[in-house]
Amino acid sequence: MYILKASQIRLAEQHADASGYSFISLMENAGTACAGCIAADWRPGSKITSVCGQGKNGGDGLVIARVLKGMGYD
C-alpha cells in the first residue's frame, strides 16, 4: 500500500484527466471502493454518517453515502 501526499494526488488526477478520465469517474471509483471497505466491517442496516465538505473529497463522500444507501445502510 502506498500513502500519497496531496501534491502527488493532484498530479495523479491531472494525469488521469489528461488521459481522458473525468473527475466524476474518479470520484465514482474512489467512493465506491471506500463504500466497499466500510461494507466489509459494518452490516447493512447500520447507521452511517457521511460529513462532506466542498471540493472533490466532498464529492467522494457523497458517492460513499449514495452507494451505502443503495446497499441497505441507513
Side-chain angles (χ1 to χ4, degrees):
M1 173 175 16
Y2 296 99
I3 298 176
L4 302 177
K5 297 177 183 178
S7 60
Q8 293 171 308
I9 293 290
R10 276 190 229 87
L11 186 61
E13 288 176 339
Q14 289 171 355
H15 285 296
D17 186 48
S19 298
Y21 292 96
S22 70
F23 287 117
I24 299 295
S25 66
L26 294 175
M27 279 187 228
E28 279 293 321
N29 291 341
T32 300
C34 287
C37 290
I38 293 167
D41 290 330
W42 295 84
R43 289 190 216 154
S46 298
K47 291 185 179 188
I48 306 290
T49 300
S50 180
V51 179
C52 304
Q54 299 177 355
K56 295 179 193 119
N57 287 340
D60 295 343
L62 291 173
V63 172
I64 293 166
R66 178 177 46 80
V67 170
L68 288 174
K69 183 71 172 173
M71 294 170 71
Y73 290 83
D74 188 17

XYZ file of all heavy atoms in Angstrom:
535
model
N 0.844 -1.165 0.000
C 0.000 0.000 0.000
C 0.895 1.235 0.000
O 1.909 1.266 0.670
C -0.904 0.031 1.226
C -1.618 1.325 1.261
S -2.878 1.797 2.430
C -2.989 0.866 3.785
N 0.495 2.227 -0.774
C 1.217 3.489 -0.823
C 0.340 4.595 -0.251
O -0.851 4.637 -0.507
C 1.568 3.863 -2.269
C 2.499 2.889 -2.927
C 2.015 1.911 -3.773
C 3.868 2.943 -2.700
C 2.863 0.999 -4.377
C 4.724 2.044 -3.307
C 4.212 1.076 -4.139
O 5.057 0.181 -4.738
N 0.943 5.478 0.520
C 0.243 6.656 1.018
C 0.849 7.850 0.289
O 2.047 8.095 0.368
C 0.388 6.795 2.546
C -0.246 5.574 3.229
C -0.257 8.099 3.018
C -0.079 5.545 4.715
N -0.003 8.542 -0.445
C 0.464 9.658 -1.259
C 0.224 10.989 -0.571
O -0.747 11.142 0.172
C -0.247 9.649 -2.619
C -0.090 8.379 -3.448
C -0.907 8.491 -4.724
C 1.363 8.109 -3.776
N 1.083 11.943 -0.856
C 0.898 13.315 -0.385
C -0.160 13.980 -1.266
O -0.434 13.542 -2.384
C 2.210 14.090 -0.491
C 3.309 13.544 0.377
C 4.588 14.323 0.152
C 5.721 13.719 0.969
N 6.980 14.420 0.753
N -0.732 15.065 -0.770
C -1.760 15.788 -1.524
C -1.228 16.225 -2.893
O -1.940 16.134 -3.900
C -2.257 16.993 -0.736
N 0.012 16.672 -2.945
C 0.597 17.107 -4.224
C 0.700 15.934 -5.205
O 0.503 16.105 -6.409
C 1.977 17.731 -3.994
O 2.865 16.798 -3.401
N 0.967 14.741 -4.709
C 1.053 13.561 -5.565
C -0.329 13.157 -6.074
O -0.473 12.739 -7.227
C 1.701 12.401 -4.803
C 3.159 12.644 -4.473
C 3.708 11.595 -3.528
O 3.130 11.328 -2.475
N 4.835 10.997 -3.909
N -1.326 13.300 -5.225
C -2.702 13.007 -5.638
C -3.131 13.973 -6.738
O -3.715 13.566 -7.746
C -3.681 13.101 -4.441
C -3.394 11.994 -3.436
C -5.128 13.060 -4.897
C -3.750 10.605 -3.902
N -2.845 15.264 -6.540
C -3.196 16.260 -7.559
C -2.543 15.923 -8.895
O -3.177 16.008 -9.944
C -2.779 17.661 -7.114
C -3.810 18.331 -6.224
C -3.461 19.811 -6.016
N -3.525 20.142 -4.618
C -2.556 20.026 -3.718
N -1.377 19.612 -4.061
N -2.752 20.344 -2.463
N -1.284 15.536 -8.864
C -0.570 15.183 -10.092
C -1.194 13.949 -10.748
O -1.395 13.914 -11.968
C 0.911 14.941 -9.783
C 1.815 14.694 -10.973
C 1.809 15.899 -11.925
C 3.244 14.432 -10.502
N -1.539 12.959 -9.947
C -2.181 11.757 -10.478
C -3.533 12.096 -11.105
O -3.877 11.578 -12.173
C -2.352 10.715 -9.376
N -4.296 12.980 -10.461
C -5.583 13.411 -11.025
C -5.385 14.152 -12.329
O -6.156 13.974 -13.278
C -6.330 14.290 -10.022
C -6.882 13.530 -8.843
C -7.540 14.421 -7.807
O -7.254 15.639 -7.757
O -8.332 13.880 -7.019
N -4.363 14.986 -12.410
C -4.082 15.718 -13.646
C -3.720 14.755 -14.774
O -4.175 14.915 -15.912
C -2.965 16.736 -13.428
C -3.375 17.916 -12.577
C -2.193 18.800 -12.187
O -1.038 18.482 -12.473
N -2.485 19.902 -11.516
N -2.922 13.752 -14.461
C -2.552 12.756 -15.469
C -3.773 11.959 -15.923
O -3.934 11.684 -17.121
C -1.477 11.803 -14.936
C -0.108 12.396 -14.876
N 0.593 12.800 -15.990
C 0.696 12.654 -13.826
C 1.768 13.286 -15.630
N 1.853 13.226 -14.310
N -4.627 11.586 -14.968
C -5.846 10.852 -15.314
C -6.749 11.707 -16.198
O -7.281 11.219 -17.202
C -6.589 10.428 -14.049
N -6.890 12.987 -15.854
C -7.701 13.911 -16.649
C -7.139 14.035 -18.060
O -7.881 13.972 -19.041
C -7.768 15.271 -15.959
C -8.705 16.239 -16.664
O -9.848 15.845 -16.989
O -8.298 17.393 -16.883
N -5.824 14.166 -18.177
C -5.180 14.291 -19.488
C -5.328 13.009 -20.310
O -5.301 13.047 -21.542
C -3.702 14.637 -19.316
N -5.509 11.883 -19.629
C -5.670 10.599 -20.308
C -7.121 10.309 -20.672
O -7.434 9.249 -21.210
C -5.145 9.467 -19.419
O -3.768 9.640 -19.176
N -8.025 11.234 -20.320
C -9.425 11.072 -20.696
C -10.353 10.625 -19.583
O -11.545 10.437 -19.815
N -9.846 10.429 -18.383
C -10.705 10.068 -17.253
C -11.268 11.346 -16.649
O -10.531 12.267 -16.347
C -9.925 9.313 -16.175
C -9.471 7.948 -16.602
C -8.197 7.750 -17.093
C -10.324 6.857 -16.520
C -7.767 6.494 -17.500
C -9.917 5.598 -16.921
C -8.628 5.431 -17.412
O -8.222 4.195 -17.805
N -12.573 11.381 -16.458
C -13.187 12.567 -15.868
C -13.048 12.522 -14.352
O -12.891 11.447 -13.753
C -14.666 12.645 -16.236
O -15.397 11.636 -15.565
N -13.100 13.698 -13.726
C -13.062 13.751 -12.274
C -14.281 13.045 -11.676
O -14.197 12.454 -10.611
C -12.978 15.193 -11.771
C -11.631 15.824 -11.997
C -11.483 16.927 -12.819
C -10.496 15.305 -11.378
C -10.241 17.495 -13.025
C -9.250 15.863 -11.574
C -9.119 16.963 -12.403
N -15.388 13.077 -12.398
C -16.597 12.381 -11.942
C -16.342 10.878 -11.866
O -16.701 10.228 -10.878
C -17.804 12.680 -12.866
C -18.136 14.167 -12.870
C -19.021 11.835 -12.495
C -18.613 14.708 -11.551
N -15.694 10.320 -12.889
C -15.424 8.878 -12.859
C -14.420 8.538 -11.761
O -14.525 7.484 -11.128
C -14.944 8.369 -14.219
O -13.693 8.916 -14.566
N -13.450 9.427 -11.519
C -12.505 9.198 -10.427
C -13.223 9.203 -9.078
O -12.942 8.368 -8.210
C -11.400 10.257 -10.443
C -10.450 10.231 -11.646
C -9.494 11.423 -11.584
C -9.688 8.931 -11.722
N -14.172 10.142 -8.902
C -14.948 10.195 -7.657
C -15.797 8.941 -7.488
O -15.889 8.398 -6.385
C -15.861 11.422 -7.640
C -15.183 12.682 -7.244
S -16.414 13.980 -7.066
C -15.622 15.265 -7.988
N -16.415 8.484 -8.576
C -17.227 7.268 -8.519
C -16.377 6.077 -8.100
O -16.777 5.290 -7.239
C -17.876 6.977 -9.877
C -19.111 7.769 -10.157
C -20.280 7.413 -9.245
O -20.503 6.220 -8.919
O -20.983 8.342 -8.836
N -15.195 5.950 -8.714
C -14.312 4.826 -8.382
C -13.852 4.892 -6.932
O -13.881 3.883 -6.217
C -13.107 4.796 -9.320
C -13.477 4.437 -10.739
O -14.528 3.878 -11.006
N -12.609 4.761 -11.671
N -13.408 6.067 -6.493
C -12.911 6.219 -5.118
C -14.036 5.994 -4.111
O -13.862 5.267 -3.118
C -12.299 7.603 -4.930
N -15.181 6.610 -4.345
C -16.302 6.481 -3.420
C -16.830 5.062 -3.332
O -17.137 4.567 -2.244
N -16.905 4.390 -4.468
C -17.388 3.010 -4.486
C -16.407 2.087 -3.758
O -16.824 1.199 -2.998
C -17.622 2.538 -5.935
O -18.594 3.403 -6.544
C -18.118 1.114 -5.993
N -15.115 2.305 -3.966
C -14.105 1.493 -3.272
C -14.175 1.719 -1.758
O -14.097 0.758 -0.978
C -12.712 1.819 -3.805
N -14.324 2.970 -1.340
C -14.433 3.269 0.098
C -15.691 2.648 0.688
O -15.659 2.105 1.805
C -14.425 4.774 0.333
S -12.815 5.523 0.083
N -16.791 2.718 -0.040
C -18.032 2.104 0.441
C -17.843 0.602 0.618
O -18.340 0.015 1.585
C -19.177 2.392 -0.525
N -17.104 -0.020 -0.282
C -16.815 -1.444 -0.159
C -16.023 -1.763 1.100
O -16.270 -2.771 1.764
N -15.078 -0.894 1.436
C -14.292 -1.085 2.663
C -15.176 -0.958 3.901
O -15.035 -1.730 4.857
C -13.150 -0.072 2.724
S -11.847 -0.372 1.520
N -16.076 0.005 3.882
C -16.997 0.188 5.009
C -17.918 -1.029 5.125
O -18.146 -1.551 6.221
C -17.800 1.496 4.852
C -16.856 2.697 4.976
C -18.944 1.568 5.863
C -17.457 4.017 4.546
N -18.420 -1.492 3.977
C -19.337 -2.633 3.971
C -18.665 -3.903 4.492
O -19.347 -4.793 5.018
C -19.882 -2.852 2.556
N -17.353 -3.979 4.368
C -16.636 -5.162 4.862
C -16.650 -5.237 6.391
O -16.514 -6.324 6.954
C -15.191 -5.144 4.353
N -16.835 -4.089 7.045
C -16.785 -4.040 8.509
C -18.132 -3.758 9.184
O -18.243 -3.897 10.398
C -15.780 -2.984 8.972
C -14.342 -3.383 8.678
O -14.043 -4.591 8.656
O -13.513 -2.490 8.463
N -19.125 -3.322 8.417
C -20.412 -2.948 9.005
C -21.533 -3.676 8.253
O -21.499 -3.771 7.034
C -20.641 -1.437 8.895
C -19.656 -0.649 9.703
C -18.397 -0.288 9.318
C -19.830 -0.143 11.005
N -17.782 0.423 10.317
C -18.644 0.526 11.372
C -20.873 -0.174 11.918
C -18.474 1.142 12.596
C -20.713 0.446 13.137
C -19.521 1.095 13.474
N -22.536 -4.120 8.994
C -23.658 -4.816 8.387
C -24.642 -3.844 7.746
O -24.845 -2.746 8.270
C -24.423 -5.604 9.448
C -23.685 -6.785 9.942
C -24.631 -7.624 10.785
N -23.867 -8.184 11.879
C -24.370 -8.535 13.032
N -25.643 -8.366 13.281
N -23.614 -9.053 13.960
N -25.303 -4.259 6.651
C -26.377 -3.428 6.096
C -27.414 -3.151 7.179
O -27.665 -3.988 8.044
C -26.955 -4.296 4.975
C -25.794 -5.136 4.549
C -25.045 -5.440 5.822
N -27.983 -1.968 7.153
C -28.920 -1.528 8.175
C -28.242 -0.682 9.232
O -28.910 0.023 9.986
N -26.896 -0.752 9.291
C -26.159 0.089 10.235
C -26.343 1.551 9.865
O -26.492 1.900 8.700
C -24.662 -0.239 10.194
O -24.413 -1.568 10.566
N -26.329 2.412 10.874
C -26.432 3.845 10.631
C -25.034 4.381 10.331
O -24.115 4.215 11.126
C -27.033 4.558 11.826
C -28.480 4.220 12.033
C -29.100 5.026 13.133
C -30.569 4.640 13.242
N -31.281 5.510 14.161
N -24.897 5.013 9.192
C -23.622 5.568 8.742
C -23.819 7.060 8.511
O -24.809 7.481 7.921
C -23.158 4.907 7.427
C -23.098 3.384 7.542
C -21.842 5.485 6.953
C -22.008 2.845 8.420
N -22.890 7.874 8.967
C -22.933 9.313 8.735
C -21.760 9.704 7.845
O -20.624 9.334 8.122
C -22.845 10.092 10.063
O -23.941 9.712 10.887
C -22.872 11.592 9.819
N -22.052 10.426 6.790
C -21.024 10.938 5.893
C -21.065 12.465 5.960
O -22.074 13.072 5.615
C -21.298 10.455 4.463
O -20.325 10.940 3.576
N -20.001 13.065 6.448
C -19.915 14.525 6.551
C -19.043 14.998 5.395
O -17.875 14.615 5.294
C -19.313 14.954 7.912
C -19.207 16.460 8.002
C -20.148 14.401 9.055
N -19.616 15.808 4.528
C -18.928 16.195 3.294
C -18.724 17.705 3.228
O -19.670 18.462 3.405
C -19.743 15.763 2.080
S -20.119 14.005 2.072
N -17.499 18.090 2.943
C -17.180 19.486 2.723
C -17.230 19.801 1.239
O -17.815 19.069 0.445
N -16.570 20.864 0.887
C -16.531 21.280 -0.511
C -15.411 20.555 -1.244
O -14.503 20.018 -0.643
C -16.298 22.783 -0.594
C -17.382 23.590 0.057
C -17.079 25.076 0.017
O -16.027 25.506 -0.408
N -18.016 25.865 0.493
N -15.486 20.581 -2.541
C -14.405 20.044 -3.351
C -14.564 18.573 -3.668
O -15.600 17.962 -3.429
N -13.491 18.017 -4.216
C -13.529 16.630 -4.689
C -13.688 15.629 -3.549
O -14.367 14.619 -3.725
C -12.268 16.332 -5.494
C -12.181 17.151 -6.771
C -10.898 16.836 -7.517
C -10.671 17.864 -8.585
N -9.444 18.585 -8.403
N -13.086 15.881 -2.414
C -13.264 14.954 -1.291
C -14.706 14.920 -0.834
O -15.223 13.869 -0.449
C -12.343 15.318 -0.125
C -10.900 14.980 -0.401
O -10.600 14.170 -1.268
N -10.000 15.601 0.324
N -15.372 16.070 -0.876
C -16.795 16.101 -0.563
C -17.591 15.285 -1.562
O -18.540 14.589 -1.196
N -17.191 15.352 -2.815
C -17.838 14.543 -3.854
C -17.652 13.057 -3.598
O -18.578 12.262 -3.759
N -16.442 12.681 -3.177
C -16.189 11.282 -2.819
C -17.123 10.855 -1.689
O -17.699 9.762 -1.726
C -14.745 11.085 -2.360
C -13.707 11.332 -3.449
O -14.072 11.343 -4.641
O -12.530 11.522 -3.092
N -17.282 11.711 -0.684
C -18.146 11.404 0.450
C -19.600 11.226 0.049
O -20.298 10.363 0.579
N -20.062 12.036 -0.901
C -21.442 11.898 -1.382
C -21.631 10.584 -2.128
O -22.666 9.933 -1.999
C -21.815 13.081 -2.275
C -21.935 14.423 -1.555
C -22.151 15.553 -2.564
C -23.066 14.394 -0.542
N -20.616 10.190 -2.901
C -20.686 8.894 -3.587
C -20.732 7.767 -2.562
O -21.542 6.835 -2.682
C -19.492 8.703 -4.557
C -19.471 7.277 -5.116
C -19.547 9.712 -5.692
N -19.889 7.848 -1.537
C -19.887 6.828 -0.482
C -21.276 6.708 0.126
O -21.809 5.603 0.276
C -18.844 7.160 0.602
C -17.425 7.060 0.042
C -19.006 6.242 1.814
C -16.364 7.690 0.924
N -21.883 7.843 0.480
C -23.211 7.831 1.098
C -24.249 7.227 0.155
O -25.076 6.399 0.577
C -23.610 9.256 1.491
N -24.216 7.602 -1.116
C -25.183 7.091 -2.088
C -25.038 5.582 -2.283
O -26.025 4.838 -2.292
C -25.022 7.805 -3.434
C -25.966 7.288 -4.510
C -25.852 8.039 -5.827
N -24.513 8.275 -6.291
C -23.741 7.374 -6.929
N -24.177 6.152 -7.123
N -22.548 7.703 -7.358
N -23.799 5.128 -2.409
C -23.557 3.701 -2.626
C -23.984 2.896 -1.397
O -24.648 1.854 -1.523
C -22.073 3.442 -2.986
C -21.747 1.952 -2.979
C -21.739 4.056 -4.343
N -23.623 3.375 -0.209
C -24.020 2.667 1.011
C -25.533 2.624 1.163
O -26.102 1.608 1.572
C -23.365 3.292 2.248
C -21.864 3.041 2.381
C -21.302 3.844 3.561
C -21.550 1.562 2.538
N -26.205 3.722 0.843
C -27.671 3.752 0.908
C -28.248 2.691 -0.011
O -29.164 1.959 0.348
C -28.184 5.146 0.533
C -29.672 5.305 0.630
C -30.108 5.305 2.071
C -31.574 5.654 2.191
N -32.042 5.500 3.566
N -27.673 2.570 -1.221
C -28.127 1.552 -2.168
C -27.845 0.138 -1.705
O -28.501 -0.815 -2.162
N -26.902 -0.029 -0.794
C -26.557 -1.346 -0.261
C -27.366 -1.678 0.993
O -27.151 -2.727 1.602
C -25.054 -1.398 0.051
C -24.184 -1.302 -1.183
S -22.419 -1.077 -0.778
C -21.997 -2.688 -0.135
N -28.243 -0.764 1.406
C -29.112 -1.040 2.538
C -28.680 -0.458 3.858
O -29.204 -0.812 4.907
N -27.733 0.486 3.818
C -27.306 1.151 5.047
C -28.203 2.353 5.306
O -28.754 2.942 4.387
C -25.838 1.590 4.947
C -24.889 0.420 4.950
C -24.624 -0.256 3.783
C -24.303 -0.014 6.119
C -23.790 -1.370 3.766
C -23.460 -1.113 6.119
C -23.210 -1.788 4.937
O -22.384 -2.873 4.949
N -28.344 2.708 6.569
C -29.208 3.823 6.967
C -28.362 5.072 7.079
O -27.308 5.066 7.675
C -29.865 3.496 8.310
C -30.923 4.509 8.699
O -31.374 5.259 7.819
O -31.280 4.533 9.879
